[in-house]
Amino acid sequence: MAKRFVAVTLFLLVIFGGIFGFKYLQMQGMAEAMSQPQPPAVVSTTEVRQETWRPSLRAVGSLTAVRGIDVASEVAGKVSRVTFESGSVVDADTPLIELDATVDRATLEGAKADRRLALVQLRRSEDLLGRQAISKSQHDEAQAKYDAADARVAEQEERIAQKSIRAPFAGVLGIRRINPGQYISPGARIVSLHALDPIYVDYALPERYFSEMRKGLPIEVRADAYADEVFKGTITAIDSGIDVGTRSIRLRASLDNPDGRLRPGMFVEVLTFNNESREVLTVPRTAVSFNTYGSFLYAVAEEEDGTLRAKRQQVTTGEVREGRVVVTKGLQAGQQVVRAGLVKLRDGQAITADNSVELEDAEVTTE
């Protein structure tokens, strides 16, 4: 038994000794690898820029036509003719559809015949009144009959005119909702019509900015449909009161829209600018890492031997505009910072600046 015990003990010592030896050698190798200096990380750098910015307020809004309606019929009838195409541009008073007016025209002819008869009787009564063959009351009765007949003709002409539906103003038509031969009721929608140039943008700002708002302030608008374009306009109207539900003030601005690319109902982002300007320090948006513990970036520090190192630096940021962010604390104008490659850096790491490729602020990534 003693021999077996000694044999088992030696066997276990050999096994565990081999394991511990292997782990020791492995840890030694890792320590040597970590002690080796890491090669410099290749990053893109940029200079802290001093710029003149006009203070702006950001909001979201919706585009609204200066004039926009759903063209509808005032009277019932069967559509006899459609004279427009969906999406076409029309001038004011352009005919859109005509309803069947055959019966109305026949009635109009009857009304005109009655008016002619009343006119003959009126002239006869005037002649007889001049010869004192009839009384003044008889002449007045003839005059009234003629006036009534003339009014019936005018009424019938207006009823026929209502069956020719025209564009009330110049604009762009929407999609047609009716077809020839269709019977429509009063109020039936025929087509939408919008005047697109200029076009309004309606939006709201918190009431604390009410004292800063006034007509004529410039704005900039961006729409998702035209992500790379900026449309400029001015504030044209300020609501007379504050919305008690949201405690905000509603604003309306006007934009030029000669090509009609902006359409009513579009969701847009609105920047409202103050007339006063200020000097700010800015860096590309991707040069700053934002987190719950505060914002930071990597400043470029050059040592005596020419080695560049990334120094982690806490900063206080402000407004973001067109891919650049304002830094209110922590930097100086002209200072070099890392603009791309933040995720692979650590504080004090050696870096190599490679700015051979010109990058736009909106195109830079943090990788």
Side-chain angles (χ1 to χ4, degrees), residues 63-133:
L63 296 181
T64 305
V66 174
R67 286 180 291 178
I69 62 169
D70 283 327
V71 180
S73 174
E74 297 180 68
V75 296
K78 184 177 70 173
V79 178
S80 61
R81 191 158 67 103
V82 178
T83 59
F84 71 93
E85 295 294 333
S86 298
S88 59
V89 179
V90 295
D91 295 324
D93 206 39
T94 299
L96 300 179
I97 71 166
E98 290 184 6
L99 302 181
D100 184 21
T102 304
V103 176
D104 295 286
R105 290 192 179 92
T107 304
L108 176 61
E109 293 302 318
K112 287 181 177 180
D114 292 341
R115 184 177 63 176
R116 286 193 296 270
L117 176 60
L119 179 60
V120 171
Q121 292 175 344
L122 175 61
R123 289 174 177 172
R124 184 180 295 120
S125 69
E126 289 174 346
D127 181 61
L128 293 174
L129 180 64
R131 292 184 291 169
Q132 296 184 348

Side-chain angles (χ1 to χ4, degrees), residues 130-186:
R131 292 184 291 169
Q132 296 184 348
I134 60 172
S135 64
K136 183 69 167 59
S137 63
Q138 290 176 312
H139 174 267
D140 292 342
E141 183 178 352
Q143 180 69 54
K145 287 182 179 179
Y146 172 77
D147 291 342
D150 187 59
R152 285 192 293 272
V153 170
E155 177 186 9
Q156 197 61 31
E157 287 176 341
E158 180 62 25
R159 184 173 287 112
I160 292 174
Q162 288 178 338
K163 293 197 172 183
S164 177
I165 301 170
R166 298 171 177 268
F169 52 84
V172 179
L173 296 173
I175 297 176
R176 189 177 72 188
R177 295 188 176 96
I178 53 92
N179 292 291
Q182 180 179 343
Y183 181 85
I184 60 176
S185 302

Side-chain angles (χ1 to χ4, degrees), residues 203-226:
Y203 63 103
L205 289 173
E207 65 173 311
R208 65 179 177 273
Y209 300 116
F210 178 74
S211 61
E212 302 176 22
M213 294 298 103
R214 56 189 175 276
K215 292 183 180 180
L217 283 182
I219 68 160
E220 289 185 355
V221 170
R222 289 176 175 82
D224 290 340
Y226 310 105

Side-chain angles (χ1 to χ4, degrees), residues 249-299:
I249 180 71
R250 294 198 59 80
L251 305 167
R252 169 169 284 182
S254 179
L255 305 169
D256 289 333
N257 189 32
D259 50 9
R261 291 189 299 161
L262 297 177
R263 294 301 175 97
M266 277 186 172
F267 178 83
V268 295
E269 183 183 274
V270 185
L271 285 179
T272 304
F273 294 93
N274 200 312
N275 285 331
E276 299 178 358
S277 301
R278 59 192 175 95
E279 296 295 321
V280 295
L281 299 179
T282 68
V283 295
R285 165 66 180 79
T286 50
V288 182
S289 178
F290 300 91
N291 56 52
T292 56
Y293 302 103
S295 303
F296 71 91
L297 49 70
Y298 286 101

